[in-house]
Amino acid sequence: MPLVSSKEMFQKAYLGHYAIGAFNANNMEIIQGIVGAAQKEASPIILQVSNETRQYSNPAYLTKLIEAAVNTTDVAICLHLDHGANYEICKDCVDSGYTSVMIDGSNLAFEENITLTRRVVCYAHDHGVVVEGELGRLAGKKDDISISNQDATMTDPEQAAEFVERTGVDSLAIAIGTKHGPYKFEDTPRLDFDRLKKITALLPGFPLVLHGASSVPTEFVEMCNQYGGAIKRAQGVPEDMLRDAAKLGVCKINFETDLNLVMTACIRQFFVENPEQFDPRAYLGPGRAAIMAMAAHKMREVLGCSHK
Ligand code: 13P
């Protein structure tokens, strides 16, 4: 099956009160783990790639890896640019076969964000590609973007409705208290569900997106630390909150930290337990299997997208 757009995925997810997992595809083993999980769970997926990952892997290598993933499975796969920082990056991804792009103008003033997003929408739609916009600023660290709690802003519901109307975006990333990276909450986790309900009420039928949604399982934080890591006071979004969000118009939920965490935990354990080993396949293989188990768990137990 060729790459597909997320349009139909989101329509079905909205009506079925579930969400599609958008997993950051940072290298071959991660891609294979995610796609293997989708195959096992018969689930549609979004493979998302940031520009930093495109540069790290070389866009040409990455495109071929994704092509191989598409050719070796029969599940629906959407290829999405995560956090496109400007028009040129989005255009480049549209031109090289991505079926969805995100333009992240969330650091701009409202009117400037609208102008930039509208420009990307015009180009992408002319080429049959869907666009995710962002309004509100998430705290946390993602690649080169680092935003402090003080600089973070929640999405204003009225502005969200106006933004969607004026830009023509196909989905919107909103800020309701999630955060990129492993350090999401200092005390009890809390998401602003009243705000989410207001946004959903003003945008009925419209797909919303949750970034910064990793749950940062204690089990894998402890495993990292037990085998030489130093990840302190990490805390993620409880899984039941993600399930609730999926029933309130959130159709795409992003995960990167959890994949990186579980793979690193696995590799750290391997190094400590097998000091004589030096073949990368010996530790990347178990890392890939751990990614697959983590992604399958999310599809089945959190997102509700298995067999959809
Ligand atoms: P996490 O850091 O919570 O995995 O979020 C990833 C993300 O939103 C990528 O855009």
Side-chain angles (χ1 to χ4, degrees), residues 22 24 48 82-83 102 138 141-142 179-182 184 210-216 237 254-259:
N24 284 71
Q48 59 182 13
D82 191 26
H83 290 286
M102 173 186 190
L138 254 64
K141 182 157 170 44
K142 158 91 191 103
K179 189 170 171 178
H180 287 119
K184 300 190 192 296
L210 217 51
H211 282 244
S214 278
S215 294
V216 196
V237 183
N254 287 7
F255 304 105
E256 177 171 29
T257 297
D258 281 351
L259 302 182

Side-chain angles (χ1 to χ4, degrees), residues 18-217:
Y18 63 90
I20 308 292
F23 299 95
N24 284 71
N26 288 339
N27 70 12
M28 183 186 81
E29 283 77 9
I30 294 178
I31 293 173
Q32 290 175 332
I34 301 164
V35 173
Q39 185 79 45
K40 180 167 172 277
E41 294 299 320
S43 166
I45 43 163
I46 298 172
L47 287 177
Q48 59 182 13
V49 175
S50 65
N51 200 44
E52 288 73 12
T53 297
R54 288 177 76 231
Q55 299 319 319
Y56 168 81
S57 323
N58 179 334
Y61 278 76
L62 205 59
T63 307
K64 287 290 169 194
L65 282 175
I66 307 259
E67 203 179 296
V70 167
N71 290 338
T72 53
T73 179
D74 50 11
V75 296
I77 302 178
C78 165
L79 175 58
H80 173 76
L81 168 68
D82 191 26
H83 290 286
N86 55 46
Y87 176 81
E88 288 69 28
I89 295 171
C90 292
K91 179 179 180 302
D92 197 31
C93 288
V94 169
D95 293 345
S96 52
Y98 282 56
T99 49
S100 172
V101 293
M102 173 186 190
I103 175 68
D104 180 357
S106 61
N107 58 327
L108 302 174
F110 185 59
E111 288 298 329
E112 288 171 43
N113 190 358
I114 288 183
T115 306
L116 174 63
T117 304
R118 179 75 202 141
R119 193 169 166 226
V120 172
V121 166
C122 287
Y123 187 79
H125 283 185
D126 275 352
H127 293 77
V129 172
V130 292
V131 179
E132 173 184 324
E134 178 162 0
L135 192 65
R137 293 193 89 191
L138 254 64
K141 182 157 170 44
K142 158 91 191 103
D143 295 327
D144 294 342
I145 314 167
S146 189
I147 298 167
S148 69
N149 284 346
Q150 289 70 33
D151 289 336
T153 47
M154 298 270 197
T155 306
D156 176 84
E158 272 84 24
Q159 278 196 340
E162 184 182 340
F163 187 86
V164 168
E165 163 79 26
R166 289 177 58 196
T167 58
V169 279
D170 303 277
S171 60
L172 182 69
I174 53 163
I176 56 164
T178 60
K179 189 170 171 178
H180 287 119
Y183 307 106
K184 300 190 192 296
F185 304 101
E186 269 150 33
D187 39 49
T188 311
R190 189 183 162 271
L191 297 187
D192 192 341
F193 277 98
D194 288 341
R195 187 176 296 272
L196 173 57
K197 284 178 194 155
K198 280 186 198 141
I199 298 171
T200 308
L202 289 170
L203 288 167
F206 185 82
L208 301 172
V209 177
L210 217 51
H211 282 244
S214 278
S215 294
V216 196

